[in-house]
Amino acid sequence: MDIVYVRELEIQTVIGIYDWERKIRQTVSLDLDMATDIRAAANTEDINNTLDYKAVSKRLIAFIEAAEFQLIETMAERVAELVLAEFPVNWLRLRVGKPGAVTGARDVGVIIERGQS
């Protein structure tokens, strides 16, 4: 299994359950590990034969910036569904963090795995 990854993709969005959180944009941070076969791309050096991490990142930025979630768990599920549906990915591990959400902690969040490895 080959992994294409994105680390610390920071996106501004409305996230949270408290009234004050619903009125501001906060930063979420994503790490993605996405299973895909990179052999065709390696053999041809053609971007069309691989998982384009820039395309995945741009799609997630557009999706998350336009969305509003109460729970980070819901965001994680929707992001995983989107990646698995729209890109040549069989399995992914996704970390969604909400930096600064808990006093004294640099980051809090969830890590999920979806698909077939």
Side-chain angles (χ1 to χ4, degrees), residues 31-35 91-95 111-114:
D31 289 343
L32 291 102
D33 293 325
M34 301 168 286
W91 168 92
L92 66 79
R93 178 183 300 117
L94 169 66
R95 181 200 59 82
I111 298 172
I112 65 172
E113 293 184 19
R114 298 293 181 265

Side-chain angles (χ1 to χ4, degrees), residues 14-112:
V14 175
I15 180 85
I17 60 170
Y18 300 109
D19 289 342
W20 66 267
E21 290 181 297
R22 310 302 302 156
K23 297 175 184 168
I24 64 168
R25 297 182 77 73
Q26 298 182 71
T27 300
V28 293
S29 175
L30 278 64
D31 289 343
L32 291 102
D33 293 325
M34 301 168 286
T36 191
D37 189 338
I38 67 165
R39 288 175 289 192
N43 289 332
T44 64
E45 295 229 43
D46 185 346
I47 188 74
N48 295 310
N49 291 331
T50 193
L51 175 60
D52 182 348
Y53 50 78
K54 183 174 183 178
V56 173
S57 298
K58 288 176 73 170
R59 178 66 176 103
L60 293 180
I61 291 167
F63 174 71
I64 292 172
E65 283 182 344
E68 293 187 10
F69 297 101
Q70 292 187 10
L71 297 177
I72 204 160
E73 292 85 349
T74 307
M75 177 186 289
E77 284 293 334
R78 298 304 166 265
V79 166
E81 291 167 358
L82 183 151
V83 171
L84 291 169
E86 296 185 16
F87 295 95
V89 172
N90 299 323
W91 168 92
L92 66 79
R93 178 183 300 117
L94 169 66
R95 181 200 59 82
V96 179
K98 194 174 170 187
V102 173
T103 302
R106 180 184 308 159
D107 193 17
V108 297
V110 299
I111 298 172
I112 65 172

